[in-house]
Amino acid sequence: MPVAIYPGSFDPLTNGHLSLIQRSLKMFDKVIVAIAVNPKKTPLFTEDERRDLIREAVQDPRVEVDAFHGLLVDYVRRRGGSVIVRGLRAVSDFEYEFQLANMNRKLAPTVETVFMMTGEDYFYISSQLVREVASFGGDVTGLVPPNVHEGLKAKFARKT
């Protein structure tokens, strides 16, 4: 079976992300969770912190956690991947994801994009929303893995 690449910022990893990773493992022998590093953005968690949080939350030998800079399709080729996994939460995600998938197909015709609908329990969750709620002391229990919840509390305890 092909190697799947699941890219994202994962800042932080949510239970929606975890659900997609677990569901991807039903279709692919290996899933590489690829942290997209964008030097123009200032993430809450560092690249290393995100890597560690994901590894601790997933703990499956078929999942590798890595990071990349630059174009996703270049990373996919370097890693020997042939499939990009993308999650769709709502109709509003589709247009943007559709544009990305078509651009990626233009740049790398042999790389396929697979869209997975986020489960009904998680369709409203985004990393940005989780960060915002946590920054105001809101309870994000059930929205993120327990280790990420602890990481969020530690980050925002320092800022208060």
Side-chain angles (χ1 to χ4, degrees):
M1 267 197 242
V3 172
I5 310 288
Y6 178 32
S9 63
F10 306 105
D11 187 37
L13 178 75
T14 69
N15 285 342
H17 294 131
L18 274 182
S19 173
L20 285 176
I21 292 166
Q22 292 160 349
R23 291 169 50 211
S24 294
L25 288 170
K26 293 177 183 176
M27 294 185 287
F28 305 103
D29 289 331
K30 180 177 182 176
V31 174
I32 300 173
V33 178
I35 300 165
V37 179
N38 184 343
K40 295 179 183 176
K41 292 186 178 180
T42 305
L44 176 63
F45 291 99
T46 67
E47 178 183 327
D48 288 338
E49 287 171 330
R50 286 180 278 169
R51 201 185 300 252
D52 292 343
L53 288 168
I54 297 167
R55 283 184 183 135
E56 185 180 343
V58 175
Q59 295 187 8
D60 187 308
R62 300 170 297 158
V63 175
E64 179 183 337
V65 183
D66 196 9
F68 72 97
H69 300 75
L71 288 175
L72 173 59
V73 291
D74 291 342
Y75 175 78
V76 172
R77 282 190 218 140
R78 269 194 319 274
R79 294 307 314 269
S82 58
V83 175
I84 298 168
V85 173
R86 298 294 296 166
L88 296 174
R89 290 180 303 233
V91 175
S92 57
D93 287 346
F94 181 77
E95 186 175 352
Y96 175 71
E97 292 294 342
F98 184 73
Q99 288 175 327
L100 284 179
N102 281 301
M103 179 57 77
N104 287 338
R105 183 178 301 133
K106 174 76 172 152
L107 296 172
T110 61
V111 176
E112 292 294 336
T113 300
V114 172
F115 295 109
M116 296 179 74
M117 297 303 297
T118 302
E120 60 189 43
D121 295 341
Y122 306 117
F123 76 92
Y124 64 94
I125 300 172
S126 71
S127 293
Q128 180 179 347
L129 187 56
V130 166
R131 280 193 315 271
E132 188 172 338
V133 169
S135 74
F136 289 107
D139 186 8
V140 294
T141 301
L143 304 180
V144 295
N147 68 315
V148 174
H149 189 254
E150 292 304 313
L152 286 165
K153 287 195 296 190
K155 281 284 184 186
F156 290 117
R158 288 186 221 137
K159 293 184 179 194
T160 55

